[in-house]
Amino acid sequence: MSGIKGGTYLKTTAHLDRQSQLLLAVNGLFVLAGALSGTFLHVYLWKSKQDYAMIAWFSVAQQIAVGLSFWIGGKWVKQYNKMNALRAGVVLTGVFYLLVLWVSSNIVHWIWPLGLLLGLAIGLFWLAFNVVYFEVTDRKNRDLFNGWVGLLSSFTGIIGPWFSGLLITWLKGDKGYRVVFTISLVIYALCVVFSFFLKKRKSSGAYHWMEPITQLRSKGSPWRLMTPGLITQGVREGVFAFLIGLLVFVATKQEAKLGQFTLITSAISLLTYWLAGKWYKPRFRNAGMFAGALLLWIVIIPLLWNTGYGTFLIFGIGTAVFMPLYILPMTSSGFDIMGTNPETVEKRVELVVLRELSLMVGRFVGTLIFIIVLSISKTPMTITILMLALGAAPIAGWMFVRKLLKTE
């Protein structure tokens, strides 16, 4: 195991080597393609049929496929070539957008198969990415790497949606969406090319299918605290991921306005993630995560009185400022406990699967709650109150993991 960099006991300096930089480049391209098309995917679905529940079921299909692809794909990633799993995720994402172009206005009849395909693609990519990320980072540079991931995500969030919004508005109608989806296909192809510059990483023994259950049953396992923390993170993510952009579009009726919203909030995220990556140290994680979780909830409150573009912008800016405080400790701490000792490093694939299954369960539960509530009432106030309730989940997440943060 001497070649593995995942354990905290193997590195003494905090820096990002060439493999880390290449992994960031692959991540950046993948996120850029998603920012170009993904931001407007739910708007595209909404234009086909104005039904929140339909879009939520599309998200449910994704989460089911994500969970299965992580659990089943774990064997492929651990025992065979994890880089091929990463490339398969990119290729299948491209296939998804090809099918979206093909079915066009009939997309409402393909919600489940398309959602399952996209979930499979996302699951394979992020499973492989997270395992490789664990191997090329350690506790000393993990916050730095995560800061750069956030920085790149914010930068692509500035360029992608703004450019797509202008293009869709300029070309008008379906033609704009088709051009944007095609550009994303080209970027996904470029992402695959970059992935070949990443080293083929060694497989590491047999895959233990039931390791997630074993960890949760083991007394004293840190995953008994981390898992519910991740589930609560997913509860918020599962709904907010598709709902916020859609609500901004519903409020403005303009793709360009949604692009502008994403540009402004991502520009602020660019700064806050850069600052967090530079100054956020492990000793600050406990207090910082609590402050971030609480403030992420507080910025939702103004939506109780107004759901116009300006109020959503306040919410978006607040989220961009406070999200790094919450998400960096949650992410870094989860990967830190994978590198506690040689035994946990050996089980890194299974632990990544446990981490992602926990997030998936939370997203699934959050989305189901959304569907159930909207089956009773679809008024704007109902949606806002639901956002407020789901938005409190990160506070519960901090309560679960705070003991882990205090031990650092």
Side-chain angles (χ1 to χ4, degrees):
M1 299 302 296
S2 59
I4 295 173
K5 299 180 181 180
T8 59
Y9 50 92
L10 289 178
K11 282 188 175 181
T12 58
T13 59
H15 70 282
L16 298 180
D17 60 17
R18 183 165 177 77
Q19 285 294 294
S20 300
Q21 294 167 9
L22 279 169
L23 189 62
L24 281 171
V26 171
N27 173 80
L29 287 170
F30 188 82
V31 173
L32 174 60
L36 282 165
S37 295
T39 305
F40 295 94
L41 177 61
H42 297 114
V43 175
Y44 189 71
L45 291 171
W46 178 263
K47 284 191 163 187
S48 300
K49 184 181 181 182
Q50 296 184 5
D51 185 354
Y52 287 111
M54 177 198 70
I55 296 172
W57 282 119
F58 177 75
S59 179
V60 167
Q62 284 184 63
Q63 298 311 320
I64 291 172
V66 165
L68 289 174
S69 62
F70 265 95
W71 187 54
I72 297 173
K75 183 176 178 65
W76 180 7
V77 167
K78 184 164 186 176
Q79 295 186 212
Y80 304 104
N81 190 341
K82 59 179 69 72
M83 298 312 301
N84 283 341
L86 185 144
R87 294 179 193 115
V90 178
V91 170
L92 288 176
T93 309
V95 171
F96 166 81
Y97 281 106
L98 275 176
L99 289 175
V100 169
L101 289 171
W102 179 58
V103 301
S104 188
S105 60
N106 293 317
I107 193 171
V108 294
H109 304 298
W110 294 82
I111 292 300
W112 273 92
L114 286 174
L116 291 170
L117 175 60
L118 184 58
L120 174 63
I122 290 172
L124 288 175
F125 177 84
W126 288 113
L127 171 61
F129 176 87
N130 284 333
V131 172
V132 177
Y133 150 72
F134 174 77
E135 293 177 355
V136 301
T137 63
D138 62 12
R139 189 176 186 273
K140 293 181 180 295
N141 67 359
R142 201 156 281 143
D143 285 327
L144 176 63
F145 186 94
N146 288 336
W148 273 103
V149 167
L151 195 69
L152 288 172
S153 297
S154 299
F155 182 74
T156 56
I158 293 171
I159 301 299
W162 173 76
F163 175 76
S164 295
L166 288 180
L167 197 59
I168 292 169
T169 302
W170 178 51
L171 293 176
K172 297 180 181 179
D174 192 57
K175 184 178 180 181
Y177 282 96
R178 296 178 72 85
V179 171
V180 167
F181 293 157
T182 302
I183 293 172
S184 289
L185 285 173
V186 174
I187 296 175
Y188 283 125
L190 188 60
C191 184
V192 172
V193 172
F194 265 73
S195 73
F196 282 100
F197 291 95
L198 285 164
K199 293 178 182 178
K200 181 179 179 180
R201 314 195 74 81
K202 295 179 180 179
S203 57
S204 51
Y207 179 65
H208 301 283
W209 291 94
M210 301 307 293
E211 184 62 28
I213 301 298
T214 301
Q215 288 291 330
L216 295 178
R217 286 179 174 176
S218 300
K219 292 183 178 180
S221 170
W223 289 99
R224 298 183 75 169
L225 297 173
M226 181 56 66
T227 294
L230 289 166
I231 289 173
T232 55
Q233 176 186 331
V235 167
R236 181 189 188 277
E237 285 182 358
V239 176
F240 282 48
F242 69 84
L243 184 61
I244 302 305
L246 186 57
L247 289 176
V248 171
F249 175 77
V250 171
T252 63
K253 303 294 189 296
Q254 298 178 49
E255 285 90 351
K257 276 288 187 180
L258 175 54
Q260 182 188 75
F261 171 86
T262 310
L263 183 150
I264 294 170
T265 55
S266 295
I268 295 170
S269 287
L270 186 78
L271 176 62
T272 55
Y273 271 103
W274 178 78
L275 290 173
K278 187 175 180 63
W279 299 109
Y280 214 170
K281 306 302 180 186
R283 66 179 181 274
F284 301 143
R285 288 178 182 174
N286 185 41
M289 184 176 177
F290 171 71
L294 181 61
L295 291 168
L296 284 172
W297 180 75
I298 289 174
V299 296
I300 303 172
I301 295 176
L303 294 172
L304 289 170
W305 290 278
N306 186 282
T307 54
Y309 178 73
T311 313
F312 274 112
L313 194 57
I314 292 171
F315 162 80
I317 291 172
T319 301
V321 171
F322 304 129
M323 182 58 78
L325 293 174
Y326 165 75
I327 204 68
L328 291 186
M330 180 67 86
T331 302
S332 296
S333 297
F335 282 93
D336 284 351
I337 61 178
M338 296 180 197
T340 306
N341 54 58
E343 182 182 357
T344 57
V345 171
E346 177 67 27
K347 296 176 180 177
R348 62 193 179 279
V349 174
E350 290 90 342
L351 296 179
V352 167
V353 170
L354 172 55
R355 177 184 183 274
E356 296 302 324
L357 284 176
S358 301
L359 287 169
M360 182 276 293
V361 168
R363 292 167 185 154
F364 183 80
V365 169
T367 308
L368 280 184
I369 292 172
F370 178 81
I371 292 170
I372 292 169
V373 171
L374 260 68
S375 68
I376 300 171
S377 173
K378 298 181 181 180
T379 65
M381 181 55 70
T382 299
I383 294 175
T384 303
I385 292 173
L386 182 59
M387 287 176 60
L388 200 62
L390 298 178
I395 300 173
W398 169 80
M399 294 178 67
F400 283 116
V401 304
R402 68 187 189 281
K403 292 183 179 178
L404 298 176
L405 299 173
K406 289 179 180 178
T407 61
E408 297 177 346

